[in-house]
């Protein structure tokens, strides 16, 4: 996303994951580089030349010292070669700063958009916290304290984060989520949290403020996307240690080369001085060039940009990670806990089939099923009507059409619902009942009816397959009731989930489905969806116990949650993604918040975490592999004058010592800019086994890193040999 | 049979023999180091030393024990050398100077066995037996103990205990090194090696001159010299001396002995961590590097420039005619790939590129298979670095053998990686900058530079072989190289034990399809590549001004 586009374009929406066909090639994308960003970030890059901040990046700090040192030399002993090297050394530092500035710049653009949402509002604070309809006082939003109780009515901007303690309202949260459809916020339950900066569209709510001043959700978001609170992640620290020690090794290799060079030159006094080697040893310009080429500048320059861009990619998917550590942990996740409803399956069970019993014709069953469900506004009931219409062509009857109907609503005692139709014309009085198999059977038997033995078999068959059977029976006039058939309700697994779970399995991640269903139903859905394991009849404490058990085995666990009772588990999980619709307790407990409230997002988060690590590893490998070619350019350029045999190492047949050294330095600088898009975008990631991934990345970034600089340096040499003073 | 074919047979049988002992010997060492039973004699030793043999130590305590034992060893040996002219003399030996005594004490305690003295003229039999031979056992055992502590770091979980150094030391000496040495010494005596306390014999040579021939307890010291990858010869010319290496087949046995512990320890490692495939992967890397090295060495020694070698058909200079060029080249490769440093030919006289190979072998960090113990921990550190970078590329926080490699682990591994090159390069740099050090150089030009580079490489890697051509018995070199040897030995051990402690405290991560497999061919190739690239990148400039400048025409 570039600076000019709007905040978080088109979130995918929580409903449906992308279709299965694309899941296999789907990759984490986004974060493309707008070339304009390079230019607009240049002032920031120049500011970052300040040694006071640059020292935090030891590799680039050394390059800057080298650049400053060679500048002094070039001033004292000017030559075209010296000045060209000086310019390119400074450019090397600048390019590194640019990478970071560009990555940060994209965050800044988002932060600006967020700031616009954070207008200074005046809060209507209740004087008495406990009197929710009592007198109000106007208080500037920043002065609100934790625990204050405020009132918001239609049109008001909610002044701070809090929980609704009274009332219900529709709220426009587009400032935070980018989603324009209003959401309902109500007291109690799991939809009670409101975010400062969002606007109440209707009704009146009483909100208790939960944030501390200056630490609102928007404040934290701004800090996160700007990278202000960015701390080095554990893995970044480890990598930095390795890079620092490589830098020290190369620093030693370069510095200690000097006495060896002086000795070698002194042994052959007859050989004339060159631009690289004179009687004082290797010239400062060349020594610094060697050092800069050897130390891992490529990864050193791009490391922080990779980290920032990783966070940025999450933000683009409307996920806020509270720390970089959490993003990294996401890449390490071994076990994914997924709530069945909304993640593995579509929200609710749906009628998928109608199975008549005995002589009953299917249309008759469909008709009865539809009639009994007309007043049933539950998703299950709606799905029966939809099935009857779609599969059996029954027109949906409006409730008003049936003037002679009395609807029997479901109750926990009867466990049945249905309709009573009074006698009309030729039709006798009719009672239709639909409900749990046992309840309906009792109803039939108590009316003197027979339950055909086949009924039990069908019911058990559906239960065994993980479905829910609903028995439909009717009673016409005074005849005995009879069973018409069975409605099969099933959880409908979201499209493409099996492929996603297969991909996760290839990545070595185990998926566990959490459900309140009985084990039989859970198993059937688990098998259909292709998850590795399931936890049936799960209570919040079972979830917690499962997480603990996995963690004791050394595994990292990720989960999503929204309710207050999810909070302990979210806190315990290594990666806890709270839904934005959830309670503030859940959002506090998790280390990520998904603004789209899409539980399947967890899978993308894992991929982004992995991509972050892969990008670091690949560029480190690339950076180190690059050194081989640079040696073959610089070593003969330095010493072939003294030992002509070393010209054999000049396998690139570079034009002259000066052009060879300059080409290596230029390549070293240009590769940084060339890789900025890759660092921001992240390396292509397709879920596959570790071996396959390693083979692929090693081939591209290891072998490629060996070969590419040979070509690159040669090409640059072919061009710059025509520069006067170099050729 | 041509000498080339003889060389092939020599090498082939050697590889076959090492492969044959790999499993049984490796398993035996694993049993020794994991068993809970103490031998009666061990109990006596523990009681005398006040050691609680069943009390495991934390990494810091283990380290303190290693350092305390080594400090006492250095002081004892230093003292012994300073007073050796006063103790039982079968002949009169001079007092050793302070700087040379320091150098020698440091050298033998660090398993280096760099000798700035000439054994037959500078040392008496008592010092050779009670000072040097004892350290040959002890220093080798210390190396194995530290390596095993690292292996325990991988094998153990959620503990801060790494085993007991004193128990490991005792068991390695008594149950591994001693029995092997006894058998080897008897075989050597049978082959004609001497084992006596005879006075010097003066003989009249055919040419009419006079020559003094020393006796001594040679065979016993020779055995542990190779088994413990020590390399300090009884005589100045080391294994080129007929009393130290009488025939071709003792030459074969010596090479076999100096490689056998190193090539078997990966099996011990695989056993102890409960995954033999990991051990095979490690030994495969060692094997690939070793075979590659010996093949290159044979090629370089077979192709030669210069009038005399071309006329003779081989680079015979500096080699024993008893052994010939291939066998000598194999010995030279073996001794520099391990931290042995004994020689049966004169590395200084090798072709420039052949000499470069001996340097490169040591610069690899002596990991193919390396010194007793030090080779294993050296390659495991490289594996940690490899896994770290490669592991990132599979999108997980890198883990090796179920242990996560975080900042703390990387800190120790990086410091280890840094130590030896820092010592070699700064040492060489300082020596080349100081006139007093340059005065010791007997050769000028790149060859002279190679000699100094070789000396510091050998000392920092605790190899102990010399390129010669350098007057090493000067105050500067005795102190400089002695210090480098001590730092090159004990700094890495500190980092290894620190790493072991950090690994042992971890909760293991179960392997999954997302885990980087470290037993497959791909990883073997990768680790080999990292070992080579790390070396090449670090030492390439210095090598360019030394052997490469000399060898590329």
């Amino acid at each position: 996303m570039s600076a000019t586009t709007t905040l978080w374009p088109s979130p995918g929406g929580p409903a449906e994951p992308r279709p299965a066909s694309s899941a296999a090639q789907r990759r984490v994308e986004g974060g493309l580089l707008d070339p304009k960003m390079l230019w607009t970030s240049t002032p920031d890059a120049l500011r970052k030349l300040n040694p006071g901040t640059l020292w935090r990046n030891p590799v680039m700090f050394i390059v800057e010292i080298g650049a400053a040192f060679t500048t002094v030399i070039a001033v004292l002993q000017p030559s075209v070669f010296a000045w060209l090297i000086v310019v390119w050394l400074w450019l090397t530092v600048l390019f590194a700063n640019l990478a970071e500035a560009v990555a940060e710049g994209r965050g800044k653009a988002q932060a600006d958009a967020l700031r616009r949402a954070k207008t200074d509002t005046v809060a209507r604070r209740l004087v008495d916290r406990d009197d929710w309809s009592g007198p109000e006082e106007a208080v500037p939003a920043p002065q609100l304290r934790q625990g204050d109780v405020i009132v918001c009515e239609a049109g008001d901007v909610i002044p701070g984060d809090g929980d609704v303690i009274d009332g219900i309202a529709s709220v426009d949260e587009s400032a935070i989520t980018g989603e324009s459809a209003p959401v309902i916020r109500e007291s109690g339950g799991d939809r009670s949290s409101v975010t400062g900066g969002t606007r109440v569209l209707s009704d009146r709510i009483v909100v208790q403020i939960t944030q501390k001043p200056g630490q609102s959700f928007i404040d934290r978001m701004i800090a996160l996307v700007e990278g202000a609170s960015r701390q080095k992640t554990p893995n970044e620290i480890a990598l930095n240690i390795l890079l620092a020690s490589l830098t020290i090794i190369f620093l030693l290799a370069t510095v200690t080369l000097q006495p060896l060079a002086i000795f070698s030159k002194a042994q052959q006094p007859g050989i004339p001085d060159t631009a690289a080697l004179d009687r004082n040893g290797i010239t400062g310009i060349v020594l610094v060039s060697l050092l800069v080429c050897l130390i891992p500048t490529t990864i050193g320059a791009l490391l922080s940009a990779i980290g920032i861009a990783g966070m940025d990619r999450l933000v683009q998917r409307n996920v806020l990670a509270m720390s970089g550590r959490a993003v990294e942990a996401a890449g390490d996740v071994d076990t994914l806990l997924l709530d069945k409803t909304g993640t593995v399956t579509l929200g609710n069970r749906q009628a998928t089939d109608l199975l008549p019993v005995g002589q009953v014709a299917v249309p008759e069953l469909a008709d009865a099923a539809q009639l009994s469900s007309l007043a049933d506004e539950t998703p299950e009931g709606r799905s029966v009507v939809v099935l009857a219409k779609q599969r059996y062509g029954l027109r949906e009857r409006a409730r008003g059409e049936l003037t002679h109907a009395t609807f029997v609503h479901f109750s926990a005692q009867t466990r049945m619902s249905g309709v009573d139709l009074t006698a009309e014309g030729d039709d006798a009085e009719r009672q239709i009942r639909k409900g749990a198999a046992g309840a309906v059977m009792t109803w039939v038997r108590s009316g003197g009816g027979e339950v055909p033995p086949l009924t039990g078999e069908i019911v058990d068959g559906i239960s065994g397959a993980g479905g829910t059977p609903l028995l439909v029976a009717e009673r016409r006039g005074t005849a005995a009731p009879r069973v018409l058939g069975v409605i099969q309700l099933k959880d409908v697994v979201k499209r493409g989930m099996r492929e996603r779970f297969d991909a996760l399995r290839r990545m070595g991640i185990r998926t566990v489905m959490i459900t309140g269903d009985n084990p039989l139903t859970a198993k059937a859905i688990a098998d259909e969806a292709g998850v590795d394991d399931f936890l049936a009849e799960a209570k919040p404490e079972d979830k917690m116990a499962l997480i603990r058990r996995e963690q004791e085995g050394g595994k990292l666990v990720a989960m999503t949650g929204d309710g207050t009772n999810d909070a302990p588990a979210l806190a315990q999980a290594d990666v806890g993604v709270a839904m934005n619709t959830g309670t503030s307790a859940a959002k506090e407990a998790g280390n990520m918040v998904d603004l789209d409230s899409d539980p399947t997002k967890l899978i993308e988060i894992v991929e982004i975490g992995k991509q972050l690590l892969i990008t670091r590893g690949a560029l480190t490998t690339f950076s180190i592999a690059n050194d081989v070619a640079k040696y073959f350019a610089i070593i003969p350029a330095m010493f072939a004058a003294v030992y002509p045999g070393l010209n054999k190492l000049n396998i690139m047949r570079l034009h002259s010592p000066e052009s060879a050294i300059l080409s290596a330095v230029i390549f070293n600088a240009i590769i940084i800019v060339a890789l900025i898009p890759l660092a921001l975008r992240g390396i292509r990631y397709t879920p596959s086994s570790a071996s396959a991934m390693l083979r692929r990345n090693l081939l591209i970034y290891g072998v490629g890193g060996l070969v590419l600089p040979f070509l690159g340096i040669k090409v640059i040499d072919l061009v710059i040999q025509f520069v006067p003073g170099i050729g | 049979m041509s000498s080339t074919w003889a060389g092939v047979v020599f090498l082939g049988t050697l590889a076959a023999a090492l492969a044959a002992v790999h499993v049984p010997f490796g398993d035996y060492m694993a049993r020794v180091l994991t068993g809970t039973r103490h031998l009666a004699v061990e109990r006596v030793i523990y009681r005398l030393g006040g050691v609680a043999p069943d009390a495991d130590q934390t990494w810091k305590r283990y380290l303190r024990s290693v350092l305390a034992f080594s400090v006492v060893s250095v002081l004892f040996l230093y003292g012994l050398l300073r007073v050796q002219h006063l103790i039982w003399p079968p002949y009169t030996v001079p007092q050793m100077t302070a700087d040379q005594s320091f150098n020698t004490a440091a050298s033998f305690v660090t398993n280096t066995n760099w000798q700035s003295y000439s054994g037959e003229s500078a040392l008496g039999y008592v010092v050779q037996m009670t000072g040097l031979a004892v350290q040959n056992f002890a220093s080798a055992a210390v190396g194995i103990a530290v390596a095993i502590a690292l292996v325990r770091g991988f094998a153990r979980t959620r503990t801060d205990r790494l085993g007991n150094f004193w128990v490991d030391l005792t068991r390695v000496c008594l149950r591994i090194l001693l029995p092997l040495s006894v058998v080897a010494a008897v075989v050597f005596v049978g082959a004609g090696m001497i084992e006596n306390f005879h006075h010097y014999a003066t003989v009249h040579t055919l040419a009419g001159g006079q020559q003094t021939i020393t006796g001594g307890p040679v065979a016993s010291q020779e055995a542990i010299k190779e088994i413990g990858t020590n390399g300090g010869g009884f005589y100045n010319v080391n294994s080129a001396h007929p009393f130290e290496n009488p025939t071709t087949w003792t030459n074969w046995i010596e090479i076999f002995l100096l490689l056998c512990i190193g090539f078997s320890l990966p099996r011990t490692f695989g056993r102890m961590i409960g995954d033999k495939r990991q051990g095979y992967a490690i030994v495969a890397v060692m094997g690939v590097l070793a075979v590659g090295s010996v093949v290159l060495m044979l090629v370089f020694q077979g192709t030669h420039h210069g009038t005399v070698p071309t006329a003779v058909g081989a680079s015979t200079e500096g080699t024993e005619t008893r052994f010939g060029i291939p066998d000598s080249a194999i010995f030279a490769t073996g001794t520099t790939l391990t931290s042995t440093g004994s020689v049966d030919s004169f590395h200084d006289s090798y072709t420039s590129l052949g000499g470069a190979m001996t340097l490169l072998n040591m610069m690899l960090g002596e990991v193919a298979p390396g010194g007793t113990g030090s080779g294993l921990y050296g390659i495991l550190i490289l594996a940690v670095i490899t896994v770290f970078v490669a592991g990132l590329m599979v999108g997980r926080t890198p883990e090796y053998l179920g242990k996560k490699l975080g900042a703390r682990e990387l800190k120790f591994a990086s410091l280890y990686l840094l130590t030896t090159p820092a010592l070699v390069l700064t040492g060489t740099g300082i020596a080349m900058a100081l006139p007093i050090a340059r005065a010791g150089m007997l050769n000028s030009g790149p060859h002279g530079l190679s000699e100094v580079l070789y000396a510091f490489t050998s000392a920092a890697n605790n190899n102990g072989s010399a390129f010669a051509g350098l007057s090493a018995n000067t105050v500067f070199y005795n102190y400089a190289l002695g210090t480098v040897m001590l730092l090159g030995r004990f700094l890495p051990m500190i980092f290894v034990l620190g790493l072991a402690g950090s690994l042992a405290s971890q909760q293991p991560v179960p392997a999954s399809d997302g885990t980087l497999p470290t037993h497959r061919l791909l990883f073997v190739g990768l680790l080999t590549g990292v070992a080579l690239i790390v070396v090449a990148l670090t030492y390439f400039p210095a090598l360019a001004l030394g052997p490469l400048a000399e060898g590329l025409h």
Side-chain angles (χ1 to χ4, degrees), chain B residues 146-507:
Chain B
V146 171
I148 291 304
L150 178 60
V151 174
R152 288 193 189 116
F154 282 112
R156 294 183 178 184
T157 55
R158 286 198 274 189
T159 175
D160 58 349
R161 307 284 150 163
L162 292 177
N164 186 311
F165 168 72
W166 307 106
V167 172
D168 292 338
L169 179 74
T170 312
R171 287 191 184 175
V172 171
C173 283
L174 291 186
R175 300 199 212 169
I176 297 173
L177 298 177
L178 205 56
L180 214 55
S181 301
V182 169
V183 174
V186 171
V187 172
F188 282 153
V189 169
M193 240 179 245
I194 61 167
E195 180 76 16
N196 60 40
F197 293 99
H198 289 173
H199 280 274
Y200 289 12
T202 302
V203 296
H204 297 276
T205 62
L206 289 174
Q210 275 198 348
Q211 188 181 351
T212 308
I213 295 177
T214 58
V218 177
S220 57
Q221 197 163 329
E222 189 66 23
I224 189 60
K225 175 185 106 181
E226 312 296 2
I227 292 166
T229 62
N230 293 287
F234 198 92
Y235 300 108
N236 190 31
V237 294
N238 212 309
S239 283
H241 196 290
F243 287 175
E244 278 200 60
N245 194 359
T247 67
T248 303
W249 64 267
T250 53
N251 196 42
W252 187 97
I253 290 179
E254 287 188 10
I255 302 173
F256 170 78
L257 288 178
L258 67 87
L259 293 171
C260 74
I261 289 184
F263 270 122
S264 298
L265 272 176
R267 171 74 183 189
T268 314
F269 158 72
R271 270 263 163 212
M272 287 179 67
I273 59 161
D275 186 354
K276 285 175 271 184
R277 299 171 310 173
Q278 304 289 349
Y280 291 138
I282 293 292
V283 83
V285 176
M286 290 175 167
V288 168
L289 288 171
V291 168
S293 171
V294 79
V295 167
L296 279 178
M297 173 67 103
L298 288 169
V299 168
F300 291 144
Q301 288 301 89
T303 53
H304 28 72
H305 303 280
T307 327
V308 178
T310 309
V312 182
S315 316
T316 49
E317 185 193 319
T319 57
E320 258 294 312
T321 46
R322 277 177 296 140
F323 308 132
I325 290 159
D327 293 8
S328 301
I330 294 164
F331 195 109
T333 305
T335 197
T336 47
L337 278 174
T338 61
S339 82
T340 313
S342 62
V343 293
D344 75 348
S345 55
F346 207 45
H347 295 182
D348 198 24
S349 303
Y350 276 37
T351 57
S352 313
L353 294 180
M357 285 311 297
T358 60
L359 258 172
L360 204 61
N361 287 341
M362 292 186 285
M363 287 168 171
L364 267 177
E366 289 168 359
V367 291
T372 50
S374 61
L376 182 63
Y377 62 66
I379 202 153
L380 287 179
I381 296 272
L382 283 177
V384 164
I385 301 279
T386 307
V387 168
F388 181 74
V389 178
L392 284 179
M393 279 195 286
V394 306
R396 280 174 74 95
T397 294
E399 63 217 30
Y400 184 44
L401 308 175
K403 298 301 176 74
K404 281 210 151 91
L405 305 177
R408 198 173 148 76
E409 289 75 25
L410 253 281
K411 184 181 72 187
F412 286 121
S414 296
L415 283 169
Y416 181 100
L417 201 65
L418 189 62
T419 306
T420 322
L423 290 171
V424 172
L425 293 170
T426 32
T428 309
I430 290 173
M432 295 310 292
L434 287 180
I436 185 173
R438 281 205 303 273
M441 291 165 59
L442 303 182
N443 284 290
S444 61
H447 199 74
L449 195 147
S450 299
E451 287 160 357
V452 177
L453 180 62
Y454 194 107
F456 281 95
T457 307
S458 173
N461 284 291
N462 300 130
N463 185 276
S465 67
F467 220 36
L470 182 70
S471 301
N473 186 19
T474 64
V475 175
F476 171 80
Y477 280 114
N478 276 334
Y479 281 123
L481 293 174
T483 309
V484 167
M485 285 185 264
L486 289 172
L487 294 176
R489 176 74 166 176
F490 295 110
L491 286 180
M493 281 187 172
I494 293 171
F495 306 139
V496 166
L497 288 173
L499 176 64
S502 157
L503 291 170
S505 65
Q506 280 190 34
Q507 150 101 22

Side-chain angles (χ1 to χ4, degrees), chain A residues 515-539:
Chain A
T515 171
D517 292 341
N518 65 58
L520 214 60
T521 311
K523 179 163 179 5
I525 299 166
D527 287 346
E528 192 188 339
V531 294
D532 297 298
D533 205 352
F534 63 88
L535 184 67
E537 289 169 352
K539 295 183 290 296

Side-chain angles (χ1 to χ4, degrees), chain A residues 267 332 552 554 631 648 691, chain B residues 393 397 445 507 520 537 553:
Chain A
Q267 293 279 309
D332 288 352
E552 265 159 35
Y631 267 133
K648 273 196 173 173
S691 290
Chain B
M393 279 195 286
T397 294
Q507 150 101 22
R520 303 248 176 88
L537 292 183
H553 295 278

Side-chain angles (χ1 to χ4, degrees), chain A residues 342-612:
Chain A
T343 313
V344 180
T345 62
L346 294 174
N348 294 286
R349 283 173 298 192
Q350 294 187 351
T352 54
D353 214 352
L354 295 176
L355 306 162
V357 175
Q359 302 299 313
V360 179
V362 179
E364 190 186 356
L365 173 61
D367 181 62
Q370 189 215 38
L371 278 172
S372 67
S373 303
L374 283 177
D376 187 351
E377 286 299 334
T378 61
E380 288 91 345
R382 300 294 311 151
S383 75
V384 174
V385 176
V386 170
L387 182 76
K389 181 181 178 185
Q390 287 181 344
R391 180 107 46 101
Y392 305 102
L394 288 182
R395 187 179 59 83
E396 185 176 342
R397 282 173 275 205
R399 284 178 68 175
E401 243 175 88
L402 298 165
T403 46
H404 55 296
T406 317
F407 291 100
V408 180
H409 289 281
F410 179 86
S411 80
Q413 280 81 38
T414 60
R415 291 162 67 218
M416 286 189 303
S417 61
V419 61
D420 293 344
L421 301 168
T422 51
E424 190 184 30
D426 294 343
D427 290 340
E429 185 197 14
R430 213 174 149 197
Q431 289 180 314
I432 304 173
R433 290 293 178 273
K434 175 194 80 178
V440 175
M441 283 181 192
T442 314
W443 181 75
V444 169
R445 287 200 185 103
S446 66
E450 287 282 310
V451 177
L454 189 63
T455 316
E457 278 174 40
I458 297 178
V459 165
D460 290 346
I462 292 173
S463 300
T468 308
L470 287 182
L471 217 56
V472 182
E474 77 164 354
R475 177 178 203 168
R476 281 177 189 265
T478 52
R482 60 178 187 131
V483 175
L484 294 176
V486 185
I487 302 170
Q488 175 177 287
L489 290 181
K490 264 181 93 174
D491 270 311
V492 179
V493 173
K494 285 186 176 179
R495 273 196 301 154
M497 291 316 284
R498 179 171 274 280
E499 288 75 9
R500 280 199 157 189
F501 295 138
D502 287 347
L504 286 169
R505 198 169 303 113
R506 280 199 297 280
M507 288 149 62
I509 296 174
R510 207 165 70 93
T511 43
V512 181
M513 184 182 81
I514 311 284
T515 171
D517 292 341
N518 65 58
L520 214 60
T521 311
K523 179 163 179 5
I525 299 166
D527 287 346
E528 192 188 339
V531 294
D532 297 298
D533 205 352
F534 63 88
L535 184 67
E537 289 169 352
K539 295 183 290 296
E541 54 270 30
D542 296 337
K543 220 173 186 176
M544 188 74 178
L546 177 68
I547 295 176
R548 287 238 170 82
R549 205 160 54 236
E550 294 282 318
Q551 286 174 335
E552 265 159 35
K555 290 181 175 163
L556 259 62
V557 183
M559 66 167 284
T560 59
D562 51 7
T564 299
N565 55 15
D566 283 333
L570 279 171
Q572 177 74 28
D574 301 280
V575 177
V577 184
M579 301 291 103
N580 191 44
T581 52
T583 59
S584 25
K587 284 199 253 183
E588 276 303 318
N591 44 20
M592 290 189 201
V593 176
D594 178 19
L595 300 173
D596 296 339
S597 305
D598 170 10
T600 46
K601 197 75 80 59
L602 197 48
I603 297 171
E604 282 174 54
I605 294 171
V606 167
E607 292 183 355
I608 289 173
K610 286 193 176 294
Q611 199 189 26
L612 182 70

Side-chain angles (χ1 to χ4, degrees), chain B residues 9-196:
Chain B
V9 170
F10 191 90
L11 194 59
T13 49
L14 201 56
L18 287 168
V21 299
H22 174 75
V23 169
F25 188 40
D27 286 350
Y28 172 72
M29 287 195 282
R31 273 202 304 282
V32 166
L33 290 158
T34 52
T36 48
R37 275 188 47 243
H38 305 292
L39 301 181
V41 56
E42 288 169 352
R43 286 182 192 285
V44 172
I45 292 174
Y46 300 147
R47 203 165 305 133
L48 288 177
V51 174
D54 295 316
D56 273 8
Q57 298 171 314
T58 62
W59 80 265
K60 283 183 180 152
R61 220 188 150 88
Y62 202 100
L63 174 66
R64 274 205 297 278
S65 304
V66 169
L67 295 180
F69 177 73
S70 302
V71 167
V72 169
S73 297
V74 170
L75 293 177
F76 174 77
L77 191 53
Y78 176 83
L80 196 64
L81 289 164
R82 293 291 285 154
V83 300
Q84 67 146 340
H85 56 290
L86 305 175
I87 38 187
W88 179 63
Y91 62 95
T92 316
V93 285
Q95 185 186 19
M96 197 179 260
T97 59
D99 55 300
Q100 196 171 27
S101 299
F102 164 72
N103 183 280
T104 307
S107 172
F108 277 75
V109 172
T110 58
N111 198 254
T112 311
N113 301 31
W114 170 270
Q115 294 162 297
S116 72
Y117 60 88
S118 167
E120 51 268 61
S121 57
L123 292 180
Y125 300 161
V126 174
V127 172
Q128 292 262 28
M129 282 193 86
T130 59
L132 304 190
V134 166
Q135 279 313 315
N136 282 354
F137 281 96
S139 65
V142 169
I144 294 178
V146 171
I148 291 304
L150 178 60
V151 174
R152 288 193 189 116
F154 282 112
R156 294 183 178 184
T157 55
R158 286 198 274 189
T159 175
D160 58 349
R161 307 284 150 163
L162 292 177
N164 186 311
F165 168 72
W166 307 106
V167 172
D168 292 338
L169 179 74
T170 312
R171 287 191 184 175
V172 171
C173 283
L174 291 186
R175 300 199 212 169
I176 297 173
L177 298 177
L178 205 56
L180 214 55
S181 301
V182 169
V183 174
V186 171
V187 172
F188 282 153
V189 169
M193 240 179 245
I194 61 167
E195 180 76 16
N196 60 40

